[in-house]
Amino acid sequence: MSDKDTAETSHTFLVHDEQHAEGAVSPPIYQTSLFTFNSYEEMEARFKGQSDRALYSRIDNPTVSALLQKLCLLEGGDKALAFASGIAAISNAVLGLVRTGDRIVCVNHCYPDTYRLLRLVCARFGVTTDFVDGTDTAAVANALPGARLLYLESPTSWLFQEQDLQTLAQLAQTHGVISLVDNSWASPIFQQPLAAGIDLVIHSATKYLSGHSDVVAGAVVGRADLIDHLSAETTAYLGAKLSAQEASLLLRGLRTLSLRMERVHQSGLTLAGKLSAHPSVKRVYHPGLQPHPQSLLSGYGGLFSFEAEDSLDIPTFCNALNFFKLGVSWGGHESLVMPAEMSINQAGSHSAAVDFGVSARLVRLYVGLEEASDLWNDLEPAFEAASPHE
Ligand SMILES: *Cc1c(COP(=O)(O)O)cnc(C)c1O
């Protein structure tokens, strides 16, 4: 983290709440489907849009609203929407902004289920997607004229390649294209795409915003007109709302977000550095090791990958690990390992098999909140166990 960012950005609001009823230090969980009115006139005012009193928990809920307020402050956005999952945030944002005949420009190596949404669902409704190399700003610029959406993810999944978000946001604006970026990897602590001109930021709140691997949730934050459009035209009817219980868990997770991000930043860089010097590792994919000249990142998440040397037996390596558990997802307290070949060969499971264009020799690591020295003491013998012995 640069001094500039820590000096300018105070995250005290994540810890400090306004006073709640009875002096409670956490907001109440409004476990209710509907909210009643004291009079005909009061209800009528709500229906006429003259009051913002909660009506029905598919539409609005005060616990969820408390979360949305914090997400707006975190990302510097006008308005926000919360969803039952990150992919619900993505599908609502995309489906809410396109119509038949539209074209989307999307970066290569986006989150695999985003790829499936665009290729399998959007295509069925006559919305096409051009996948482009996000590191090649000129290639993205060439694809923009006539497009409806520019869908970015910086850094990308598996290869962790950054895009020049500021330049791409300006180019999108020039061509009248709405820009979206999946900011789950960096979290708003380390990257602020809206300040760079991006229209909407998307989060899998399942990851860092929650931080404890006990919630599946998503959010979209950004321009008021776009969020209002999504509310009025789409989100209420697709119905993928966030529950008050999960909003409360997210508010709890947010209290420690900046502490957790500092920790994974440090541990991630330490381990990525050690791994890049290891004889069983061909290359480490971590944005801190190959800094992008136009990077907006003021720090790094704990998720990165490495390409194993041919000699490393990946199943043996995974089985020899103790702290790094085999598992999907990331962003919680616990360290995880995920081999790319399993993710690539998903035919037969719930997911459609798609070619992400990444090497089957990639291994993704998520560095959690354990001590970095303990994690290295876990990795080193696993490499030893999985390498050929003379
Ligand atoms: C996990 C993930 C998602 C999807 O979020 P869910 O909460 O699992 O629906 C989207 N984008 C990225 C980068 C992710 O890692």
Side-chain angles (χ1 to χ4, degrees):
M1 284 165 292
S2 68
D3 291 343
K4 178 182 73 84
D5 290 279
T6 39
E8 280 177 8
T9 318
S10 164
H11 292 111
T12 294
F13 70 90
L14 289 177
V15 178
H16 184 86
D17 275 11
E18 297 304 313
Q19 178 104 49
H20 300 295
E22 310 291 335
V25 293
S26 298
I29 300 170
Y30 285 89
Q31 189 66 43
T32 179
S33 59
L34 72 134
F35 300 83
T36 57
F37 296 87
N38 291 318
S39 67
Y40 181 98
E41 290 74 20
E42 199 187 6
M43 190 173 194
E44 188 182 41
R46 172 62 180 81
F47 272 85
K48 284 183 167 169
Q50 293 160 351
S51 96
D52 55 6
R53 267 207 49 187
L55 174 74
Y56 184 48
S57 285
R58 172 156 55 80
I59 314 289
D60 49 5
N61 176 290
T63 315
V64 176
S65 301
L67 170 70
L68 296 179
Q69 234 175 17
K70 294 214 166 172
L71 293 180
C72 285
L73 286 169
L74 261 173
E75 286 287 4
D78 305 328
K79 288 192 175 183
L81 292 166
F83 297 93
S85 67
I87 203 71
I90 296 166
S91 56
N92 273 268
V94 170
L95 294 174
L97 295 172
V98 295
R99 58 182 64 207
T100 300
D102 279 347
R103 186 168 55 87
I104 299 169
V105 176
C106 178
V107 288
N108 287 339
H109 312 302
C110 62
Y111 177 68
D113 279 353
T114 303
Y115 183 81
R116 293 184 179 94
L117 170 77
L118 298 173
R119 288 287 303 270
L120 303 177
V121 182
C122 290
R124 255 195 277 127
F125 296 98
V127 174
T128 57
T129 304
D130 287 340
F131 291 90
V132 294
D133 178 355
T135 62
D136 185 347
T137 301
V140 183
N142 280 340
L144 281 179
R148 172 71 176 155
L149 301 183
L150 172 61
Y151 190 95
L152 305 168
E153 186 182 312
S154 188
T156 51
S157 292
W158 288 100
L159 294 181
F160 307 100
Q161 292 169 323
E162 286 182 68
Q163 295 112 59
D164 180 350
L165 292 183
Q166 184 129 26
T167 302
L168 292 179
Q170 281 163 5
L171 282 168
Q173 223 164 42
T174 305
H175 291 285
V177 178
I178 299 167
S179 56
L180 305 89
V181 63
D182 183 329
N183 199 30
S184 307
W185 187 92
S187 91
I189 302 294
F190 291 151
Q191 184 165 261
Q192 306 253 290
L194 299 177
I198 294 287
D199 294 316
L200 292 174
V201 161
I202 291 172
H203 278 284
S204 169
T206 310
K207 315 293 167 52
Y208 288 132
L209 301 186
S210 131
H212 296 77
S213 303
D214 51 9
V215 172
V216 175
V220 180
V221 192
R223 262 171 53 186
D225 62 323
L226 295 175
I227 297 287
D228 285 342
H229 171 81
L230 291 175
S231 303
E233 305 271 333
T234 304
T235 58
Y237 320 116
L238 292 182
K241 59 100 186 152
L242 184 69
S243 74
Q245 288 279 353
E246 290 188 300
S248 172
L249 285 170
L250 281 165
L251 283 162
R252 184 184 67 170
L254 287 180
R255 294 189 201 285
T256 56
L257 178 65
S258 64
L259 292 170
R260 290 184 283 104
M261 293 312 294
E262 276 174 43
R263 174 70 160 214
V264 295
H265 165 86
Q266 285 302 341
S267 303
L269 272 179
T270 301
L271 294 186
K274 282 177 180 285
L275 283 166
S276 52
H278 197 280
S280 296
V281 172
K282 241 185 210 162
R283 178 173 171 186
V284 176
Y285 292 88
H286 184 298
L289 300 184
Q290 300 97 23
H292 190 287
Q294 271 83 41
S295 181
L296 293 187
L297 293 173
S298 60
Y300 302 110
L303 185 75
F304 60 93
S305 65
F306 68 85
E307 189 175 351
E309 287 287 356
D310 295 343
S311 57
L312 189 82
D313 186 67
I314 292 175
T316 305
F317 171 76
C318 293
N319 287 335
L321 291 166
N322 278 311
F323 287 124
F324 288 89
K325 302 288 185 208
L326 274 159
V328 297
S329 195
W330 51 274
H333 49 285
E334 77 290 10
S335 291
L336 294 163
V337 59
M338 179 73 206
E341 60 189 347
M342 261 201 256
S343 199
I344 291 166
N345 297 323
Q346 284 193 60
S349 82
H350 72 285
S351 300
V354 290
D355 180 7
F356 307 124
V358 303
S359 163
R361 299 294 297 165
L362 279 187
V363 177
R364 190 182 77 179
L365 293 178
Y366 171 65
V367 174
L369 301 178
E370 303 92 339
E371 295 285 346
S373 55
D374 288 334
L375 294 176
W376 182 247
N377 290 337
D378 195 22
L379 289 167
E380 232 184 355
F383 276 120
E384 180 67 19
S387 302
H389 293 90
E390 300 307 315

